[in-house]
Amino acid sequence: MCAAQTEVPWYNQRPGQIRSSARESEDGSHDRVYAGRTTVAMTVKERIETLAKPKLSRSTLSYGPSLSWGNQQTMWELSNAAKNTEPTDRILTLAQPKKNFSTQEDLKPQWEYSCGRQSPIIQPSGAARRAANSGRIDQLAQPKNHHRNYTENRPMYEFSCGRSSPVEGPAQGAKTAAERERTNQLARPKNVHSEHQASREVQTIPTQAARNTRPTERLEQLAEAKRRPDGPFREPEWPVSRKAMKAQSTERTRELSRSKGLVEGFQGNRNVMWNVSKSAKQAVATRRVEELSVPIQRESMDHVQFNPDVFKVSENAKKAKCSARIEELALPITRK
């Protein structure tokens, strides 16, 4: 005899069992059984529309009364009992203003040029000015000496951050090296086209003959402004004659009025939006696609700036030789 199968609770079911317990209805919605209760979920289209809605901004929500800062208005309206109550002795004591122990009568400059507080720098007294320094104070007042191998590089700190420039100066061998034909060829400026014409100046100086000439009668006639009549003009609507209403178009006119047909096998433009297939929604990316989707981790400038060799060209790159294809692509275009 086989033991009777008991229904496993939904929270103890495996993923395969949970999928098998879900059934799809005719309209595309899914019914899932949770602890003996059947809940009807929304369709796939309704779910996509719900996820496509933008998230509600909580900055526009108001959690309290609208306040206008800078006045004596209270945040919450005071009750009549609070307005009519009498303060206790403790509240009256705390409401007394703080006593001003300042000896200065006019503190207006402190409020004009500062927040009202006095300067924390205390002026030295006469005894402190006349006092003699002890040996310890003289020792602490001595500046720190530089290392014996220290070389001052003040321009680098005045016009930069103190680091040396990554652009290295030319070596002595590069200064005394002989010129190559290829280098001279690359150093030549690009030649102008044989039919090139320079831009003409916007303002031209008229000649003396153009200044003294007199216009012809035809030029004076063309220079006159066009005369426009004041009316009356024809009405925008006019009756059509009976002969024009009964007229029939010719065969040539009907042929020209036909719209141009589409070529055989023509396919219209694809819509900008289309439904995603079910297989595409359930597709799982391969390991290679996931590997390519991982962003490149580059070091930030906070770490790169402490590397003194970050901008230096490696020795292998200096000794590398370009291939024949790169040399072919590096040749300038020969223009006739």
Side-chain angles (χ1 to χ4, degrees):
M1 297 180 61
C2 299
Q5 295 182 356
T6 58
E7 185 178 357
V8 182
W10 66 273
Y11 47 82
N12 289 335
Q13 290 182 359
R14 297 180 180 177
Q17 295 176 344
I18 295 177
R19 284 197 296 269
S20 62
S21 64
R23 57 181 181 272
E24 186 175 357
S25 61
E26 296 179 357
D27 57 352
S29 62
H30 297 271
D31 299 345
R32 191 176 297 278
V33 178
Y34 292 103
R37 295 179 299 173
T38 303
T39 58
V40 180
M42 61 181 66
T43 61
V44 177
K45 183 178 180 181
E46 294 176 352
R47 179 58 178 168
I48 294 176
E49 291 178 354
T50 304
L51 294 175
K53 292 181 181 179
K55 189 175 181 181
L56 179 63
S57 177
R58 298 185 180 274
S59 60
T60 59
L61 301 180
S62 178
Y63 298 98
S66 58
L67 302 177
S68 178
W69 300 101
N71 52 17
Q72 300 297 328
Q73 183 180 359
T74 57
M75 295 179 61
W76 309 100
E77 187 177 358
L78 299 178
S79 60
N80 295 330
K83 295 179 182 179
N84 300 329
T85 187
E86 294 184 359
T88 60
D89 297 339
R90 178 57 177 167
I91 294 178
L92 293 175
T93 305
L94 295 175
Q96 294 295 330
K98 189 176 181 180
K99 185 178 180 181
N100 185 11
F101 294 95
S102 177
T103 56
Q104 301 180 7
E105 298 180 358
D106 187 11
L107 298 177
K108 188 175 181 180
Q110 293 187 14
W111 292 100
E112 288 183 352
Y113 308 107
S114 181
C115 60
R117 297 180 60 184
Q118 298 181 359
S119 174
I121 303 176
I122 303 175
Q123 296 294 335
S125 60
R129 295 177 183 177
R130 294 188 299 269
N133 299 334
S134 62
R136 178 56 178 168
I137 294 179
D138 293 338
Q139 181 183 357
L140 295 175
Q142 295 295 329
K144 186 177 180 180
N145 297 327
H146 296 289
H147 195 269
R148 59 178 180 275
N149 297 331
Y150 170 77
T151 55
E152 187 177 5
N153 193 5
R154 185 172 295 275
M156 295 300 299
Y157 285 91
E158 290 181 353
F159 308 106
S160 181
C161 60
R163 295 181 58 186
S164 59
S165 175
V167 181
E168 300 179 359
Q172 190 64 25
K175 295 180 181 179
T176 58
E179 298 179 356
R180 297 185 306 167
E181 183 179 358
R182 176 60 177 165
T183 306
N184 295 333
Q185 179 184 359
L186 294 174
R188 296 192 192 100
K190 186 178 178 180
N191 298 329
V192 185
H193 196 270
S194 58
E195 300 180 359
H196 172 73
Q197 294 182 359
S199 301
R200 186 179 178 184
E201 296 182 0
V202 180
Q203 297 180 357
T204 56
I205 301 175
T207 59
Q208 191 66 26
R211 296 178 186 177
N212 300 331
T213 187
R214 293 184 177 181
T216 60
E217 185 178 355
R218 176 61 178 166
L219 288 177
E220 292 181 353
Q221 180 183 358
L222 294 174
E224 293 179 358
K226 187 177 181 179
R227 299 177 182 178
R228 303 181 184 274
D230 298 334
F233 302 100
R234 189 183 69 176
E235 295 294 333
E237 298 181 0
W238 62 90
V240 183
S241 63
R242 188 180 302 273
K243 185 176 180 181
M245 290 189 213
K246 296 181 178 180
Q248 295 182 359
S249 58
T250 61
E251 184 178 357
R252 176 60 177 167
T253 305
R254 289 193 296 271
E255 182 182 354
L256 294 174
S257 63
R258 296 192 192 97
S259 59
K260 187 176 181 181
L262 301 176
V263 71
E264 184 179 357
F266 171 79
Q267 295 182 0
N269 297 332
R270 186 178 180 183
N271 296 332
V272 180
M273 300 175 62
W274 61 89
N275 297 330
V276 184
S277 62
K278 191 173 183 179
S279 59
K281 295 178 182 177
Q282 298 177 354
V284 180
T286 59
R287 183 178 300 177
R288 178 58 179 167
V289 174
E290 293 180 354
E291 182 181 351
L292 293 175
S293 64
V294 176
I296 301 174
Q297 299 292 340
R298 294 185 175 90
E299 296 183 2
S300 62
M301 288 303 300
D302 297 337
H303 299 83
V304 172
Q305 64 178 349
F306 296 105
N307 186 7
D309 301 334
V310 65
F311 296 110
K312 289 187 178 180
V313 183
S314 62
E315 295 296 334
N316 296 332
K318 295 179 182 179
K319 298 176 183 179
K321 294 184 179 180
C322 57
S323 60
R325 178 57 178 165
I326 296 178
E327 290 184 354
E328 180 183 354
L329 295 175
L331 292 175
I333 302 175
T334 304
R335 304 182 184 275
K336 297 182 179 179

